[in-house]
Amino acid sequence: MTQANPDMHSSSQHRRHAVIRGGVLSGAAILFSTVAMLAVGKMVTNRLGQTEVAHFSLLLLWSDFFNIAGGLGLAVSLPKLIGAAPDERRGAIVGSCLRMQSHVFSGFVGLWWAILGVAWLSGLGWPQWQPYVVLIALVPLLSVAGAFRDMAMAALAGFNRYGARATGIAVASFAQIVLVFFCLWILHRGVGVLAAAMVASAATTALWLIFSLPSGARWNRQLVEARDCVRFSVPLYANSLLGFVFQRFDTMLIVFFLASPTAVAIYEMAKRIPMLMSRVLSAITVPFLPTLSGMIGRGQPEEAARFLARTSAMVAFLSYGGVLFTVFIQEPLLVTLFNQEYLAATTVLGLLMFAAAVGVQTGLMGQTLIALGKPGWVTSVNVGAAFFNVAANAVLLPTLGLKGAAVAAAATAFLSLAAQAWAVRKHGLCESLSAWCMPHLCMMVAGGMLWGGHGEMMVRLVALVLFVAGCFLSRVVAVRDLRTLIQAFRTPRAAR
């Protein structure tokens, strides 16, 4: 028999530990960042009325949209492009993309402020918009800072610089808490000064992360590399825009159909809790795309399929467990994070958590399709998901109110997951269908208990315990998986 090459085994073990450690570092940083976001939410909801909270939420919503629109899909594609590029080209790719972003967003900011100036000089609609002029003027600045932050984070992931990435996020998150506390609780200012503090925090994060890049990756006068990256990113760019439609556009539909600042405030604050889980789990899987791309590039489809199967099983277990735990403690959680006025969010929180959990799993399938060189499939699925979501909201919002938006989000997320998982199997990475379905079946049983139990605390606890037990008994997740995760994080030097 041919003996296994010890160097190959050592290399595989090193790569495994590096992936897990990178994921844990990314997850810890995003956890701290999202806890900071929740702390900001607590300060905002306890100092501002729900109408001002709604205006602040809409500022963040529009800035996120323009961030995605001006980002050209590069923040999604850079980890793959850098990971697959020769070492000597990696810095040029990032530097060129940063330069292109500076051109795009400088034009965007100038155009935005020119339109605002024309509106002021002409008086066209000015009385209606004058109270919000500070917020409107800050939208492009927050978009720019967010776009450079996201691109630098993607580049650091491509370079496997997870420690620098995590440190920058943590420091900037702490700065955000301090700035918001100072503006609201020391200076006693309103939503305009709060928005300026958010811009300063995002800009601090972007600068820190950019200066954490290798020196050759911070700037490049040549745009050729960037143009090539944009061509590759076109399907991903369309996918990001469509993702915004079915993940965030429901708030705008709430504004249209319900015309209630209170409803907007409650829905947007409720979204912050599933966002915590989504951001942490997405951060844990940051090494997934470059690692899977490497396996496929080296012609190792069986190893890639096993890696996908174990990652998706662990993510399903953690995300669904997070949903059930959050529902179990939802009332004290909402009061702790916000205040009594936001207890109305209990009608939508469980559904929004479920949608977020499924969304993280869908993200893995989308990244797998990218690694397989099939990003167009992700776009095609998201086109259908976007149309379905808007139609579902249009039907359900007038009849069910806020709960209708949450039902539409959950249904859209699961349909998108099923479609992308089917596309992954179609293109050659076939994990066991029964194993893939098992965590979803366990969640269906737990969800059925919650539905029939009418929100009783004991029923929620039993549903959570049965889900965890079912996942271990059906081998969705094993003790060795958790042990490997802990060991990789506790012994970073051995991993090297």
Side-chain angles (χ1 to χ4, degrees):
M1 289 180 64
T2 303
Q3 294 184 346
N5 188 329
D7 291 336
M8 290 180 63
H9 175 73
S10 176
S11 175
S12 177
Q13 187 178 30
H14 167 79
R15 184 168 59 248
R16 184 184 183 189
H17 280 272
V19 168
I20 295 174
R21 178 164 169 75
V24 171
L25 282 171
S26 297
I30 295 299
L31 174 61
F32 186 82
S33 171
T34 311
V35 168
M37 180 190 71
L38 293 175
V40 168
K42 176 70 173 179
M43 289 186 282
V44 167
T45 53
N46 282 265
R47 289 296 297 181
L48 303 176
Q50 289 188 332
T51 298
E52 289 181 297
V53 171
H55 293 160
F56 178 64
S57 299
L58 291 173
L59 162 74
L60 299 180
L61 179 70
W62 280 111
S63 65
D64 285 348
F65 170 73
F66 289 118
N67 174 350
I68 295 170
L72 305 176
L74 294 171
V76 183
S77 63
L78 272 180
K80 171 180 172 56
L81 294 171
I82 296 170
D87 290 345
E88 63 273 11
R89 285 190 57 218
R90 292 180 174 183
I93 289 173
V94 180
S96 182
C97 288
L98 286 173
R99 180 174 174 81
M100 174 172 281
Q101 287 283 271
S102 67
H103 289 317
V104 170
F105 278 104
S106 59
F108 167 62
V109 173
L111 178 62
W112 184 277
W113 285 350
I115 294 172
L116 195 61
V118 169
W120 173 62
L121 291 173
S122 66
L124 182 63
W126 190 251
Q128 180 182 357
W129 298 107
Q130 188 175 5
Y132 315 112
V133 65
V134 173
L135 296 181
I136 295 171
L138 288 175
V139 165
L141 295 183
L142 194 55
S143 302
V144 171
F148 280 101
R149 175 199 64 210
D150 294 347
M151 180 173 289
M153 287 173 62
L156 287 169
F159 284 112
N160 293 317
R161 294 195 170 195
Y162 300 108
R165 186 177 185 270
T167 302
I169 295 170
V171 170
S173 300
F174 179 74
Q176 183 182 92
I177 295 175
V178 172
L179 284 169
V180 172
F181 178 79
F182 183 75
C183 292
L184 292 182
W185 293 84
I186 304 299
L187 297 180
H188 301 288
R189 299 293 181 176
V191 68
V193 175
L194 172 63
M198 298 297 290
V199 172
S201 174
T204 301
T205 310
L207 289 172
W208 183 291
L209 293 170
I210 288 172
F211 281 102
S212 298
L213 291 168
S215 57
R218 296 174 193 163
W219 195 256
N220 186 343
R221 292 183 178 277
Q222 301 299 321
L223 295 177
V224 176
E225 298 280 3
R227 284 195 289 266
D228 292 341
C229 292
V230 169
R231 290 191 190 99
F232 175 85
S233 303
V234 167
L236 303 177
Y237 178 48
N239 171 60
S240 297
L241 291 171
L242 291 165
F244 181 89
V245 171
F246 68 78
Q247 291 175 4
R248 304 292 305 279
F249 193 67
D250 50 0
T251 300
M252 298 306 301
L253 294 173
I254 289 170
V255 173
F256 179 77
F257 284 106
L258 303 184
S260 169
T262 298
V264 172
I266 289 171
Y267 195 74
E268 279 295 303
M269 290 302 108
K271 273 187 170 182
R272 290 189 166 224
I273 301 174
M275 192 181 296
L276 167 63
M277 178 184 70
S278 178
R279 290 179 66 180
V280 171
L281 290 177
S282 295
I284 289 175
T285 60
V286 163
F288 176 80
L289 177 56
T291 304
L292 188 71
S293 297
M295 292 177 180
I296 294 172
R298 291 189 297 271
Q300 300 172 321
E302 293 182 359
E303 184 178 353
R306 286 193 297 270
F307 179 61
L308 170 63
R310 294 314 307 156
T311 303
S312 60
M314 178 64 76
V315 168
F317 172 73
L318 293 174
S319 59
Y320 284 150
V323 173
L324 295 169
F325 179 74
T326 301
V327 171
F328 174 58
I329 63 168
Q330 61 182 348
E331 290 88 359
L333 182 64
L334 287 166
V335 173
T336 300
L337 293 178
F338 311 116
N339 58 48
Q340 292 278 349
E341 294 180 347
Y342 290 84
L343 280 174
T346 55
T347 59
V348 298
L349 182 57
L351 289 166
L352 291 176
M353 287 292 296
F354 177 79
V358 174
V360 174
Q361 298 171 59
T362 305
L364 282 182
M365 296 301 157
Q367 290 182 57
T368 302
L369 289 168
I370 293 169
L372 289 166
K374 305 292 181 181
W377 276 90
V378 183
T379 305
S380 299
V381 170
N382 282 333
V383 168
F387 278 108
F388 177 84
N389 183 259
V390 173
N393 272 286
V395 172
L396 296 175
L397 270 172
T399 55
L400 299 179
L402 281 184
K403 193 171 184 178
V407 170
T412 303
F414 199 80
L415 288 174
S416 181
L417 172 62
Q420 293 195 38
W422 175 84
V424 167
R425 290 179 62 83
K426 175 181 174 66
H427 289 97
L429 290 190
C430 299
E431 55 181 309
S432 167
L433 186 59
S434 60
W436 184 84
C437 290
M438 191 55 64
H440 307 299
L441 291 175
C442 292
M443 184 61 188
M444 285 178 62
V445 172
M449 290 188 64
L450 294 178
W451 186 271
H454 303 292
E456 295 293 333
M457 287 287 291
M458 184 54 67
V459 174
R460 297 184 216 167
L461 179 59
V462 172
L464 173 60
V465 172
L466 284 181
F467 171 78
V468 173
C471 285
F472 276 99
L473 290 174
S474 60
R475 298 188 178 182
V476 170
V477 66
V479 174
R480 67 176 181 274
D481 297 321
L482 303 178
R483 188 184 299 122
T484 300
L485 184 69
I486 296 170
Q487 181 183 5
F489 186 54
R490 292 176 62 184
T491 57
R493 292 183 182 179
R496 296 171 189 170

